[in-house]
């Protein structure tokens, strides 16, 4: 079964740090670009970060740039998101998502999602 | 960055109704448009991609259309399990993977 399972969410104080993990199974993890997407309580979906299959290229939303680092370990079939200098507005459910090219050329969509992990930033 | 605007933000409908949700891009995105469904407490689920192609396993009552800047997701006959929030997302110029703000479909 194709699956993504996030972990690492927690209650953290403002200014704190957290590392989220996403364990992939059931597919060749190293063949896919990956995203992190978050959803604040009662709000819509917000893309956070992207990493290419090689791990050599990364992108970040302006709202997290400079505070967040995405990485991956293909040997461990795992995706990570390091969150630093956390703010109240980072409170959200964080999802990892697989990016699939469903139609050639370049028609990409997020076709597999994890169940999410909750980050709460509060004193 | 490309902005995506959905309308309406919410709607009330009855089982069996035909429902349409609109998504507008701030510039032309050809047909690089995806739709997702999200139920409360659950992860989003991909419904359609390339504006009109149904993802495997998605019921045929769902359909997508449009190109350029204007897109529509239609549910031909609303079923109880379709009450959810729907998001459009552009993949023309990504990253960033811009989402619309969502449309909540509620029971009338």
């Amino acid at each position: 079964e194709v699956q993504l399972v996030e972990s690492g969410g927690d209650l953290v104080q403002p200014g704190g740090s957290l590392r989220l993990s996403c364990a992939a199974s059931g597919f060749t993890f190293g063949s896919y670009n990956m995203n992190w997407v978050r959803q604040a309580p009662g709000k819509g979906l917000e893309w956070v970060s992207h990493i290419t299959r090689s791990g050599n290229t990364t992108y970040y939303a302006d709202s997290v740039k400079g505070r967040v680092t995405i990485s991956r370990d293909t040997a461990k079939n795992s995706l990570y998101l390091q969150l630093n200098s956390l703010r109240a507005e980072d409170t959200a459910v964080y999802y990892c998502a697989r990016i699939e090219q469903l139609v050639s050329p370049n028609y990409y969509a997020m076709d597999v999602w994890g169940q999410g992990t909750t980050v709460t930033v509060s004193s | 960055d490309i902005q995506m605007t959905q309308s309406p933000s919410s709607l009330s409908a009855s089982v069996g109704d035909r429902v349409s949700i609109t998504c507008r891009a701030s510039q032309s995105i050809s047909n690089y448009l995806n739709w997702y469904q999200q139920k409360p407490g659950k992860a989003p689920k991909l419904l359609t991609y390339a504006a009109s192609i149904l993802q495997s396993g998605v019921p045929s009552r769902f359909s997508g259309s449009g190109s350029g800047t204007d897109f529509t997701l239609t549910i031909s006959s609303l079923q109880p399990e379709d009450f959810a929030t729907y998001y459009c997302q552009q993949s023309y110029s990504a990253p960033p993977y811009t989402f619309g703000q969502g449309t909540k479909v509620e029971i009338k």
Side-chain angles (χ1 to χ4, degrees):
Chain A
E1 179 190 5
V2 173
Q3 198 171 11
L4 296 169
V5 179
E6 300 95 335
S7 60
D10 205 349
L11 170 63
V12 61
Q13 292 188 340
S17 297
L18 212 51
R19 189 197 199 201
L20 308 182
S21 299
C22 170
S25 60
F27 65 99
T28 305
F29 177 67
S31 297
Y32 291 86
N33 298 337
M34 298 291 294
N35 273 345
W36 284 98
V37 175
R38 70 183 181 183
Q39 186 169 39
K43 302 297 185 182
L45 301 171
E46 179 190 18
W47 169 77
V48 173
S49 185
H50 170 100
I51 188 167
T52 56
R53 60 180 66 90
S54 67
N56 289 340
T57 304
T58 58
Y59 300 89
Y60 301 95
D62 289 342
S63 59
V64 302
K65 200 171 292 182
R67 302 187 297 118
V68 164
T69 303
I70 190 172
S71 62
R72 64 192 300 163
D73 185 335
T74 300
K76 295 183 177 180
N77 288 333
S78 291
L79 177 72
Y80 305 102
L81 190 69
Q82 177 69 41
L83 305 169
N84 298 324
S85 303
L86 282 161
R87 307 167 180 169
E89 53 265 36
D90 295 318
T91 294
V93 175
Y94 285 73
Y95 297 99
C96 61
R98 185 180 82 169
I99 302 165
E100 173 71 282
Q101 179 175 272
L102 292 157
V103 177
S104 184
N106 299 332
Y107 286 89
Y108 293 97
M110 289 172 268
D111 70 329
V112 179
W113 296 67
Q115 85 288 350
T117 189
T118 301
V119 173
T120 304
V121 184
S122 175
S123 54
Chain B
D1 294 350
I2 298 172
Q3 307 302 316
M4 307 301 293
T5 304
Q6 289 180 232
S7 61
S9 297
S10 65
L11 64 89
S12 295
S14 300
V15 173
D17 284 354
R18 181 182 180 89
V19 168
S20 292
I21 299 168
T22 297
C23 177
R24 176 164 289 175
S26 59
Q27 66 183 75
S28 177
I29 58 170
S30 183
N31 63 337
Y32 288 82
L33 192 283
N34 306 319
W35 287 99
Y36 300 85
Q37 176 194 63
Q38 187 181 33
K39 297 181 180 179
K42 301 295 186 182
K45 172 188 172 183
L46 178 64
L47 291 179
T48 72
Y49 56 93
S52 61
I53 302 177
L54 228 55
Q55 173 69 333
S56 175
V58 174
S60 59
R61 63 180 179 273
F62 290 91
S63 64
S65 63
S67 66
T69 60
D70 294 319
F71 302 87
T72 301
L73 176 71
T74 299
I75 309 171
S76 59
S77 178
L78 199 64
Q79 298 302 300
E81 59 268 31
D82 301 335
F83 292 96
T85 301
Y86 294 85
Y87 295 91
C88 63
Q89 175 250 317
Q90 66 85 19
S91 61
Y92 176 81
S93 176
Y97 291 79
T98 322
F99 291 93
Q101 81 277 16
T103 296
K104 187 175 184 179
V105 177
E106 298 175 299
I107 301 173
K108 182 183 285 185

